[in-house]
Amino acid sequence: MKTNLSSILFSIAIVVAAFVLGNAVIHRNRPQGTVNVTGLGEQNFTSDLIVWEGNFSRESKDLKSAYADLERDRSAVTQYLQSKGIPADQLVFNAVTTLPIYQQNYTASGNYAGQTFTGYQLSQTLVIESKEVEKVEKVSREITELLNQGITFYSQPPRYYYTQLESLKLEMVAKATEDGRIRAERIAENSKAKLGDLITANMGIFQITGQNSGEDYSWGGTFNTSAKNKTASITMKLVFEVD
């Protein structure tokens, strides 16, 4: 009786072992299925910081006279901007630049005959950084009014920035990841498969372009500063298991 029972148990053990071993071989030889997708996250936003630069200059044969004229211009520029509502602590005047001016001389035959000193050019740059974007933007367009005071002020196009860029980038990563998962789920569904765990996730280049600008994307990342209204975008390359 014991001998028969042992034989039965031994036979069952062999069958179970064969099943387990065979199943392991099947799963071992079965290729691991994956799906590769690229998710996109986009967000429109409006800049909340403006940086505007301009410069003015004076010329004179006498250095002291040129500096006095430049000081008067600086005072007039300060008064004008304050009258437009720009606080004094936002007006940053850089150091005065002094440049000697020479006249190039040529003979009647066109040969170079040296140069003659004609005076000095003194110039100064003004930089305004403010969160009052619309106000500074308006002033940058109206600054030519200083011409009526005899001041030649050269205005540069404003540059626009966003102070919450890091938070925005995190939102874009979340959106791009979710977009990628949705794409992967649809691929798996259409293939009659089941989407598994995320294997790898690689972040692409963070891009900032002007809204409706038609700017080209750059492999190193585009960072637009000329447009007040911008579009941020980022891609996520994801690899999922598929069962």
Side-chain angles (χ1 to χ4, degrees):
M1 181 67 179
K2 290 183 179 180
T3 302
N4 292 336
L5 181 60
S6 298
S7 298
I8 295 173
L9 293 176
F10 182 71
S11 299
I12 294 174
I14 291 175
V15 172
V16 171
F19 175 79
V20 171
L21 180 61
N23 191 55
V25 170
I26 292 173
H27 281 79
R28 184 191 66 186
N29 294 329
R30 188 181 68 182
Q32 179 66 49
T34 60
V35 59
N36 298 265
V37 294
T38 298
L40 174 65
E42 285 188 328
Q43 179 69 47
N44 292 330
F45 66 96
T46 300
S47 303
D48 61 358
L49 180 69
I50 185 171
V51 177
W52 173 53
E53 295 184 26
N55 65 84
F56 50 97
S57 63
R58 284 288 182 172
E59 295 181 8
S60 177
K61 285 188 175 182
D62 179 60
L63 186 59
K64 185 177 180 179
S65 175
Y67 186 79
D69 290 341
L70 195 70
E71 278 293 296
R72 282 192 291 271
D73 287 349
R74 172 176 172 167
S75 177
V77 169
T78 299
Q79 291 178 14
Y80 173 83
L81 293 174
Q82 287 182 321
S83 71
K84 295 293 184 177
I86 307 297
D89 60 359
Q90 290 184 1
L91 307 180
V92 178
F93 289 92
N94 293 333
V96 175
T97 301
T98 303
L99 180 68
I101 305 173
Y102 295 93
Q103 176 183 311
Q104 307 303 313
N105 303 317
Y106 296 89
T107 64
S109 60
N111 295 322
Y112 181 67
Q115 58 186 12
T116 303
F117 174 75
T118 60
Y120 298 95
Q121 181 187 66
L122 273 63
S123 61
Q124 192 165 32
T125 300
L126 165 68
V127 181
I128 297 176
E129 182 176 314
S130 174
K131 288 190 174 183
E132 296 182 289
V133 178
E134 287 76 16
K135 178 186 289 186
V136 176
E137 191 177 45
K138 185 173 185 292
V139 171
S140 72
R141 294 193 298 263
E142 298 174 346
I143 196 69
T144 51
E145 294 176 353
L146 286 173
L147 290 172
N148 296 328
Q149 301 181 38
I151 302 172
T152 305
F153 191 97
Y154 299 95
S155 175
Q156 301 296 323
R159 302 191 304 274
Y160 300 91
Y161 300 91
Y162 188 58
T163 60
Q164 304 299 318
L165 200 57
E166 288 306 313
S167 296
L168 179 65
K169 187 181 293 187
L170 291 176
E171 292 179 16
M172 296 300 94
V173 169
K175 285 187 176 183
T177 302
E178 179 61 23
D179 180 63
R181 175 174 286 278
I182 292 174
R183 292 170 187 264
E185 287 175 345
R186 290 179 180 175
I187 292 173
E189 182 181 346
N190 292 335
S191 302
K192 307 300 181 182
K194 181 180 179 182
L195 191 67
D197 295 332
L198 176 65
I199 301 174
T200 62
N202 294 301
M203 185 172 68
I205 301 299
F206 187 57
Q207 309 272 0
I208 296 181
T209 58
Q211 287 184 26
N212 306 315
S213 65
E215 291 179 69
D216 292 329
Y217 287 95
S218 168
W219 67 270
T222 299
F223 190 85
N224 178 289
T225 60
S226 61
K228 180 170 64 175
N229 297 313
K230 309 177 193 290
T231 299
S233 63
I234 197 169
T235 57
M236 289 292 295
K237 298 183 182 299
L238 310 174
V239 179
F240 291 92
E241 289 183 346
V242 176
D243 299 324

